Amino acid sequence: MSTYRALFASAALALPLALAASPADAQQTTLRIFVGGQQRPDVMRQILDVYQQRNPGTRVEIEIGGATSDQQQQYLNTVLTSRDAAIDVMLIDVIRPAQFAAAGWAEPLDAYLGAEKDAIMARYLPAYREANIVGGKVIALPYFADAQFLYYRTDLLEKYKLQPPKTWEELASTARTVMQGENNPNLRGFATAGAPIEGTVCTFLVPMWGAGGQFLGAQGKPDVNSAQARRALQLWTDLKAANVTPPNLAEVVTDRIRVDFQAGNLLYAMQWGYAWNRFQNDADSTVKGKTNVVPLPGFAGNQPATCIGGWQIAVSAYSRNKQAAVGLLRYLSSPEVSKMQAILASHLPVFAEVYQDADVLKVNPWFQFARNVVVTGRSRPVSPDYPEVSEIIRTNMNAFLAGTRTADQVIADMNSRLARVYR
Ligand code: GLC
């Protein structure tokens, strides 16, 4: 709590100066930013209040929409295809810049950043610098980084004298031990995303990469007809057969995993960074002080893998306030805001140095190793046709997890449809 106060007290001190610098009749600019429900609009509001205090000529309104990455994008598709100027700035998932560049939806930032461009971009972690530069143009600036981790219940593992699992095999056996011992019908061993949503793409890719597989084959074309892809699918079959995963896995969306874990109904969860803060601070969390985070497990004898994620901020090509919008972007993608987000929302920093910050580590001790997980994490395929790539993977995975398609059917369908996208 004291860290929050210190952050915002320093912002409040800046207020009288900012007010004095601006003429009373200054022109008001109103910017509208589109944010998903999962990206902590409440924290964004606090961050924007500081900006408004420092820039009294600018008011920033938040528009909240979409509980999943896909729903957010559906909304933006409507706004942007109709060239609607109502949204000036938008958060976009790390998988989107290539699509936005191809569609002409994001205002390229190069001219606005001018001579500072290279120095600004050089400060971000390489994966985020690269994700936001498409065809040599800066399409967006990074807001926060992300990766999937394994969250676990420290109280339950301690009770059964177990260590957090390093392999999927250990995850399955320890989950069974705890579930049998607890004999609680509401308690499941492990959950990840299984609904036909973006997160479910990672439910396929993470164990496939972890088994040593690649998404693109030798010719740079997708090839998921591999032993490693089959091993990934088999992992989910085995966890389901052992009753470790919830029976409704094919309905589980990203934030549902958080809700179930904080209700005390999961031993392990494959989940993104934001959940930590919710587990520790939500009024209804039953797992505060009983939760820890480690890197995701791997298969014995292989390097574990994770999917990197994260959210970027773009200026709409249809905004009528582009100059002011870029000013806001520069603030939102600064180390100062990265630190605020880390403290207030456990959003992973896009700057290496913020992971080392003492105030940040105090509330997120696991950030000590999180930077390495992000830096060594894998990116989902980069493509202007990513929406199609994603749809092919997630609908197949969803059908597989629901038990309506076999591994052979899923692999054949993914391979033939992906080949058409990458023709
Ligand atoms: C998180 C990640 C994002 C990912 C999404 C999937 O929000 O940051 O990159 O696509 O989860 O659910």
Side-chain angles (χ1 to χ4, degrees):
M1 212 50 201
S2 60
T3 325
Y4 295 19
R5 290 222 181 85
L7 270 171
F8 292 108
S10 64
L13 284 177
L15 178 63
L17 283 176
L19 281 176
S22 154
D25 61 349
Q27 193 77 33
Q28 271 282 340
T29 304
T30 301
L31 295 173
R32 217 172 161 75
I33 179 165
F34 180 71
V35 182
Q38 211 172 283
Q39 294 114 38
R40 296 299 300 270
D42 58 323
V43 167
M44 167 82 83
R45 186 67 264 163
Q46 296 184 53
I47 289 169
L48 292 174
D49 287 347
V50 173
Y51 188 74
Q52 291 183 160
Q53 286 169 3
R54 292 181 194 163
N55 299 275
T58 307
R59 212 160 65 93
V60 192
E61 292 172 355
I62 301 182
E63 182 160 333
I64 306 169
T68 63
S69 175
D70 326 75
Q71 286 171 6
Q72 277 172 255
Q73 188 52 38
Q74 271 166 29
Y75 180 80
L76 287 178
N77 284 347
T78 312
V79 170
L80 295 165
T81 49
S82 62
R83 301 172 169 253
D84 192 335
I87 304 269
D88 299 288
V89 174
M90 52 218 165
L91 284 199
I92 62 171
D93 199 338
V94 70
I95 50 192
R96 307 258 173 233
Q99 176 195 356
F100 272 62
W105 286 340
E107 176 78 2
L109 302 173
D110 307 69
Y112 299 88
L113 303 179
E116 288 174 89
K117 180 180 113 173
D118 291 345
I120 291 171
M121 297 313 285
R123 297 192 62 183
Y124 300 114
L125 293 176
Y128 295 93
R129 175 163 70 237
E130 285 156 21
N132 286 296
I133 301 180
V134 183
K137 288 192 182 140
V138 179
I139 294 300
L141 293 176
Y143 183 52
F144 69 92
D146 216 347
Q148 290 174 300
F149 296 85
L150 187 74
Y151 288 81
Y152 68 92
R153 286 278 301 279
T154 51
D155 56 331
L156 290 175
L157 288 193
E158 274 159 25
K159 183 169 168 190
Y160 295 90
K161 304 199 173 7
L162 297 167
Q163 294 298 316
K166 291 215 160 50
T167 64
W168 291 110
E169 294 85 348
E170 284 171 19
L171 179 139
S173 67
T174 51
R176 279 197 306 269
T177 304
V178 173
M179 284 169 71
Q180 273 160 19
E182 291 298 292
N183 197 22
N184 167 0
N186 294 326
L187 181 73
R188 288 287 160 164
F190 173 85
T192 184
I197 60 157
E198 179 54 37
T200 299
V201 173
C202 298
T203 301
F204 173 65
L205 292 173
V206 163
M208 186 195 72
W209 287 328
Q214 305 292 334
F215 178 75
L216 295 179
Q219 316 305 327
K221 305 273 186 204
D223 181 11
V224 296
N225 188 6
S226 63
Q228 292 88 349
R230 283 170 204 281
R231 192 164 184 196
L233 296 174
Q234 190 61 43
L235 168 69
W236 303 129
T237 304
D238 293 346
L239 291 176
K240 184 177 171 182
N243 268 328
V244 168
T245 44
N248 68 339
L249 187 62
E251 287 158 30
V252 172
V253 296
T254 306
D255 204 41
R256 179 77 213 184
I257 308 165
R258 174 194 61 81
V259 169
D260 286 347
F261 191 94
Q262 78 188 41
N265 294 336
L266 287 169
L267 169 64
Y268 298 121
M270 175 163 153
Q271 182 56 297
W272 305 90
Y274 79 103
W276 169 261
N277 180 277
R278 305 291 303 263
F279 297 154
Q280 302 305 321
N281 296 301
D282 274 17
D284 69 356
S285 172
T286 66
V287 299
K288 182 178 163 63
K290 299 182 193 167
T291 302
N292 204 359
V293 190
V294 284
L296 284 173
F299 289 107
N302 282 301
Q303 276 295 104
T306 192
C307 224
I308 69 164
W311 291 81
Q312 329 304 309
I313 332 161
V315 173
S316 164
Y318 311 112
S319 163
R320 298 200 189 95
N321 300 302
K322 290 184 182 135
Q323 193 72 48
V326 175
L328 175 64
L329 244 67
R330 295 205 43 185
Y331 165 73
L332 290 177
S333 62
S334 67
E336 177 193 7
V337 169
S338 190
K339 175 172 174 175
M340 285 160 118
Q341 290 191 77
I343 292 172
L344 298 169
S346 62
H347 284 172
L348 292 159
V350 285
F351 301 96
E353 69 272 17
V354 180
Y355 287 84
Q356 300 304 318
D357 185 289
D359 300 331
V360 168
L361 283 169
K362 203 166 147 201
V363 286
N364 307 296
W366 58 284
F367 276 22
Q368 199 68 255
F369 68 83
R371 183 173 81 103
N372 190 44
V373 171
V374 170
V375 168
T376 56
R378 311 276 294 256
S379 295
R380 283 162 278 175
V382 174
S383 163
D385 298 317
Y386 186 77
E388 258 185 282
V389 173
S390 166
E391 201 266 338
I392 293 168
I393 300 175
R394 66 186 195 234
T395 50
N396 269 296
M397 272 309 281
N398 171 257
F400 178 74
L401 297 170
T404 57
R405 268 185 213 171
T406 64
D408 285 339
Q409 286 170 328
V410 159
I411 284 179
D413 189 75
M414 287 204 273
N415 241 6
S416 68
R417 290 174 62 203
L418 287 167
R420 268 178 263 145
V421 178
Y422 279 74
R423 204 169 15 207

